[in-house]
Amino acid sequence: MNIFDVELITARIKLRRISHEDLADMYEFTSIKSVTEFLEWDAHKSIVPTKEFISKTLNEYITKETTFTWGIEYLEHSKLVGTIRIYDYVPKYGRAEVSYIINPAYQGKGIMTEVLRQIYYHCFNNLRMLRLQAKCSAKNLGSIKLLQKSGMVEEGCLRNYYSAHGIIHDSYVFAITSDNYFSLNGINK
């Protein structure tokens, strides 16, 4: 069983498995060019790649134990507004990486900060993990601000790390450790 396969709920959002019923909501944001500006994949020009992504994710729910993708459901609208993925989980060291995407119509509302904090809570309190990290383009100011606001600390820059749409990007590495998390939240271990 995948240890990440749980629903996580806050006042505004539910992190849950995605399903084929999410196809229209997901295509709404995966088809927007600005959403994929700093990503290695292109905006979806038809619903087919979105459907393929959902099918691949459903298969991963069964076959992978070190990867999990939650759909981000905005409860007020009963709508899938993004995804957050945990991957490269190494149980021996209690570490993993996260990545995320959100519909631009729901950006700037604190939703992703809330999502990341819920992921931190689950990983550090329930799973006793030691470290979560994320990477983002040095040009992606929105992600940089989000990761800092959520409690992650910049650890360094990976120069000429990846290419997105023919542009070479430096990538910042951000992380939060269990010690950081508990300290930020006034919790004595």
Side-chain angles (χ1 to χ4, degrees):
M1 179 176 159
N2 190 312
I3 64 169
F4 301 108
D5 191 1
V6 294
E7 282 192 352
L8 303 171
I9 301 171
T10 71
R12 297 189 305 158
I13 55 108
K14 180 195 296 186
L15 301 179
R16 58 164 175 80
R17 284 181 171 217
I18 61 171
S19 72
H20 288 294
E21 287 78 37
D22 295 315
L23 182 60
D25 288 345
M26 185 175 283
Y27 180 67
E28 183 179 314
F29 59 86
T30 59
S31 62
I32 300 171
K33 191 173 181 180
S34 65
V35 169
T36 64
E37 178 181 3
F38 300 109
L39 302 176
E40 296 179 73
W41 51 276
D42 294 325
H44 295 174
K45 293 181 171 79
S46 77
I47 207 156
V48 173
T50 309
K51 187 181 286 188
E52 289 170 350
F53 174 80
I54 291 173
S55 293
K56 177 183 167 207
T57 301
L58 294 176
N59 185 55
E60 286 180 351
Y61 290 150
I62 299 165
T63 62
K64 301 255 182 166
E65 293 188 10
T66 60
T67 298
F68 194 83
T69 301
W70 285 274
I72 302 167
E73 181 180 335
Y74 189 61
L75 294 173
E76 184 179 338
H77 299 153
S78 298
K79 180 179 181 71
L80 185 86
V81 299
T83 63
I84 185 160
R85 179 179 185 86
I86 195 158
Y87 61 100
D88 289 347
Y89 171 56
V90 182
K92 179 178 178 180
Y93 300 115
R95 69 175 185 237
E97 188 156 342
V98 295
S99 63
Y100 46 83
I101 184 172
I102 189 165
N103 187 325
Y106 291 84
Q107 290 176 354
K109 301 178 186 310
I111 293 170
M112 282 308 303
T113 303
E114 190 172 328
V115 166
L116 283 168
R117 288 180 178 160
Q118 188 65 23
I119 294 292
Y120 302 163
Y121 179 87
H122 178 60
C123 289
F124 296 133
N125 283 298
N126 300 338
L127 303 179
R128 301 291 185 223
M129 289 177 61
L130 299 176
R131 174 188 172 85
L132 284 172
Q133 71 177 35
K135 292 190 286 281
C136 70
S137 169
K139 297 176 183 177
N140 190 342
L141 302 180
S143 252
I144 292 167
K145 182 179 174 184
L146 167 66
L147 294 170
Q148 291 170 333
K149 184 177 179 183
S150 73
M152 285 198 178
V153 175
E154 182 186 329
E155 293 188 329
C157 180
L158 303 169
R159 296 181 10 218
N160 293 334
Y161 188 69
Y162 76 102
S163 175
H165 316 291
I167 299 170
I168 301 296
H169 290 265
D170 293 346
S171 186
Y172 288 144
V173 177
F174 287 84
I176 185 167
T177 65
S178 57
D179 291 340
N180 297 140
Y181 173 79
F182 291 124
S183 177
L184 284 170
N185 290 284
I187 301 169
N188 293 324
K189 284 179 35 175

